[in-house]
Amino acid sequence: MSRARQPPLVTGISPNEGAPWTKVTIRGENLGTGHNDLIGLSICGHNCLLTAEWITASKIVCRVGPAKDDKGEIIVTTKSGGLGTSTVSFKLLKPERIGILDQSAVWVDELSYYDMRTDRNKGISPLSLRPANPLGIEIDKGKVPLKDLENMFPRMSGDFTSENFSATWYLMENHSSTSFEQLRVAVANLKKQASKKNEGSLAYVKGGLSTFFEAQDALAAIHQKLESDGTEKVGGSMTQRLENVLNRASETADTLFQEVLGRKDKADSTRNALNVLQRFKFLFNLPLNIERNIQKGDYDVVINDYEKAKSLFGNTEVPVFKKVYSEVETRIEALRKLLLDKLLETPSTLHDQKRYIRYLSDLHAPGDPAWKCIVAQHKWILQLMQNCKEDFIKEQKGTHTHAAMAGVGLEMDRSSALNRISLPAPVKRGGSFQTPKDDSWHYKSPQQVRFVEKLSDVVISQLPNFWKLWISYVNGSLFSEKSGQVEKLKKNARQRQNDFKGMIEEVTRRLVQLVRGALLPSSLTELQLRQYGGWDTKTPLSGAWLTQVIHTVRLSLEALSALEIPNDLLQVIQDLLQDLRVHCLLTTLQHTEEDVKRLAEKEDWVVDNEGITSLPAQFEQCMIQMLQSLKEPMECKPGEINEQRLLIILSNCQYLERHTFLNLAEHLEKNSFTTAEKIIRVSIEALRQLDEYLFETYVEKKSDPIVGSLEPGIYAGYFDWKDCLPPTGVRSYLKEALVSIISVHAEVFTVSKELVPRVLSKIIEAVAEEMSRLMQCVSSFSKNGALQARLEICALRDAIELYLTSESRVSMIITSFKQAVEALPQLQSGTDKKCVIANDL
């Protein structure tokens, strides 16, 4: 049965060496799901589970025990993953051993040590008694590695307190660069220390000789008295009588000084309490300070004070400290709730959202506040869009007064986000609404037009900050490093990319459906009409107002594109634009047709000097106005051409010419249509014209970026054909061009494999001509430059050889490559030819 999780894997330990009881941080993968899941931890063969502290699935903190092995692996064992492995090791440094070199009034237990696991001092280590510099001269740590010393002196040690002490080792390790004169001084120092110790011991005994004698006499007298009092007497033994006397004296003293001692004890208690309050006034004043700072909005101060208190008193066992700290935690929990409520409030600025998210991250708030904010903002934007539609529907039904209508329209016009949004230069030059100076124009415009402008304003004012909030969420800039959760939260963000993509799709889809409900109700289903429709469409919009709508939607699309939102998320807006342009064209033509029909009613039959009436001039003016009004709807902006649809139309045109029209010609002949041949010929000619136009449009869109990238790529990094290194292969610009050609091949092949040769040969022809032009423009080549150029031309020619199917195209492409090669200096040696062939392969 396979485990639910992968075995633990240790990939790092810091520090990677140290003495026993060194605190280390272990990092890796699958290190358990919690404290209870961790069942084993060994370092250098020593069980360290007792001191282990599980932090996360990728981090454990523990202390290294006194292992027997000098170097070994770090093995983690969990219930969920079993026995783990390690890619790193830990080196255990041997502690320095104590040698008793100085006098001591007490016996030093060499086994006593400072227990770092519990932070309790169990005794003073004899290591502290060791002299730091026994030779008394400056220590100069040599450059001889420890491993070399261990190999040179096996089973020896440079520790002068060790039984296996090696003087040579010690001198090489600490005095490898010391002069001979300094070593002579060291010898003299050692002699002085030895004589001083001997003299010190003797002086120590001589100076305390009388004290020793007095102590000896006193001890002997006490011993003799106790021996003579060995039998029990009437009054008891001497020790018993002495104890009774001392007890009575103590009781009498307590009686005499009980009141004084009581006052003293009370004063001492008060003094101690004041000292504690003064010493820990930060903690005792913290609950009140938190309340004050929250009221003032100084959340940074609150967070810093809380972090300090948590580090000092978070694990305290003192009851009074625990009580005060629990009050601090209660107020911090209330602050978390307050900040979360402020974060989810709408509307709010992007600056405030980032600020509250950072505060909640520093306070280790549960869950993911950033994602909660994103979800709340998404719902807010959708609600704003729906409210916008409902307000205009109510206005249309007469629930708003005329003055309110005017106020809403004018206010929206003056503060339109489409005018405030930061757009690229081309958008700014022609992106503002061309509103007449007369303020009455706006609220006299049709409601559907004002609705589209207001709806676009809502989206453009809200979506940029929504998108920027997501970008900050993904790259982790919303969270501070001290929270310790940056990587975890960034991982959460990456896992929610599809969810956020769905939010953007829902916003753009809602925008499109609301606009369709107001202007193109026939493009919606019955269910969608009930949700997004409800408009009075008895009076259709004219072509001029539809042109204004197209202008508004285009500005919205350009503004969203400037945010670098992926094009696939904006495709629905591009489709809406296409349908609006078609609708505007049909409406304009229909109204023009009606206007032309009504011209007969305006005929006055008054003939001028040229023998004509005013009717021809009126007809001409009507047609000119129509063409002017269709200028913007007919204009196709960048990004509005659906390249896949172009390919589909080309494929359909090809099928119509090869199959459909031939079948129609047969049916026309069978049904005795005498003009069948002319009908088919004219139809095929018109079809070919359409096919050629669409084909040139598609090839231009695909070839221009590839061709345009060649020259900047060739000279990237100040490349010079006269001064370059020997070639080691083709450069990046050519690889990128080939990748782009492959992408076009894949796109065309998914629609029609029969179109691949036709499209690819045309694009390759443009690339070959550009390469030929660039090579012919170079004034001179160095030897290495000529080799590099020849290599890249040959590599390009060989890579695209499979696509050269059309004979006319083949000759033109081959000619271009031949001209490019002829512009290069000829190869001078066989070595150069081998170099080109080797790199080409």
Side-chain angles (χ1 to χ4, degrees), residues 686-745:
L687 183 66
R688 286 175 178 172
Q689 291 177 357
L690 174 63
D691 176 87
E692 188 63 26
Y693 172 75
L694 295 178
F695 176 74
E696 292 295 335
T697 302
Y698 180 80
V699 169
E700 181 181 356
K701 286 189 63 64
K702 291 300 181 180
S703 62
D704 284 355
I706 302 175
V707 172
S709 66
L710 292 178
E711 185 170 6
I714 287 177
Y715 296 103
Y718 300 100
F719 180 82
D720 188 356
W721 294 110
K722 301 177 185 178
D723 183 18
C724 60
L725 298 173
T728 57
V730 296
R731 290 179 292 155
S732 298
Y733 82 93
L734 190 60
K735 296 177 183 178
E736 293 173 0
L738 290 173
V739 169
S740 300
I741 293 174
I742 293 172
S743 300
V744 175
H745 177 279

Side-chain angles (χ1 to χ4, degrees), residues 180-451:
F180 183 72
E181 292 299 326
Q182 287 291 318
L183 292 177
R184 293 181 66 180
V185 173
V187 171
N189 291 338
L190 285 176
K191 291 180 179 179
K192 288 180 182 179
Q193 291 179 20
S195 61
K196 187 183 296 184
K197 287 181 180 178
N198 293 333
E199 294 175 0
S201 300
L202 184 60
Y204 180 74
V205 175
K206 288 180 179 180
L209 189 61
S210 60
T211 305
F212 293 156
F213 287 158
E214 291 176 1
Q216 177 65 27
D217 292 342
L219 290 173
I222 292 174
H223 184 265
Q224 184 179 2
K225 186 67 175 176
L226 289 175
E227 283 187 342
S228 64
D229 194 50
T231 57
E232 296 293 332
K233 297 180 181 180
V234 178
S237 66
M238 184 186 71
T239 55
Q240 185 65 41
R241 291 200 303 274
L242 180 61
E243 181 181 1
N244 293 337
V245 172
L246 293 175
N247 288 335
R248 288 197 299 272
S250 176
E251 292 173 359
T252 303
D254 289 343
T255 302
L256 293 174
F257 297 99
Q258 185 174 8
E259 183 178 356
V260 176
L261 292 176
R263 289 199 300 270
K264 178 179 178 301
D265 291 342
K266 185 176 181 181
D268 290 342
S269 300
T270 304
R271 189 179 301 107
N272 291 335
L274 290 175
N275 288 336
V276 170
L277 289 173
Q278 181 64 25
R279 183 178 179 184
F280 300 102
K281 64 180 180 180
F282 165 74
L283 177 63
F284 293 112
N285 294 335
L286 188 55
L288 181 59
N289 289 338
I290 289 177
E291 290 288 347
R292 290 175 178 173
N293 289 324
I294 289 176
Q295 292 176 1
K296 292 189 296 183
D298 293 338
Y299 302 123
D300 289 305
V301 177
V302 175
I303 292 172
N304 290 334
D305 290 346
Y306 172 64
E307 290 292 337
K308 181 180 178 181
K310 187 176 181 180
S311 63
L312 294 174
F313 307 101
N315 299 321
T316 183
E317 295 296 332
V318 180
V320 64
F321 292 166
K322 291 178 67 175
K323 182 178 180 180
V324 177
Y325 184 74
S326 66
E327 294 181 10
V328 172
E329 285 288 359
T330 301
R331 284 165 172 76
I332 292 298
E333 184 60 33
L335 175 59
R336 292 191 187 104
K337 187 176 184 303
L338 173 65
L339 291 175
L340 184 61
D341 292 341
K342 287 181 174 293
L343 175 64
L344 301 182
E345 282 181 1
T346 51
S348 61
T349 64
L350 179 63
H351 173 73
D352 288 340
Q353 291 168 359
K354 290 184 175 181
R355 191 160 56 95
Y356 293 139
I357 291 172
R358 184 176 292 272
Y359 290 152
L360 290 168
S361 173
D362 292 340
L363 292 173
H364 303 281
D368 192 345
W371 180 249
K372 293 179 181 178
C373 178
I374 290 174
V375 172
Q377 288 299 308
H378 173 245
K379 293 180 179 178
W380 166 250
I381 294 173
L382 294 179
Q383 189 62 47
L384 282 178
M385 297 169 69
Q386 195 66 28
N387 291 346
C388 178
K389 177 246 181 182
E390 292 174 359
D391 289 343
F392 273 90
I393 292 292
K394 291 178 182 178
E395 178 184 334
Q396 190 181 44
K397 294 180 179 178
T399 56
H400 292 177
T401 63
H402 184 74
M405 292 165 56
V408 171
L410 289 172
E411 180 182 358
M412 191 279 293
D413 182 63
R414 291 169 183 165
S415 61
S416 175
L418 287 169
N419 291 328
R420 299 193 308 269
I421 195 70
S422 177
L423 296 177
V427 180
K428 287 184 176 180
R429 286 196 295 268
S432 61
F433 287 115
Q434 302 298 322
T435 306
K437 295 182 179 179
D438 183 8
D439 287 342
S440 63
W441 170 86
H442 199 85
Y443 61 83
K444 290 180 180 178
S445 62
Q447 287 179 318
Q448 289 97 322
V449 177
R450 289 188 289 113
F451 164 69

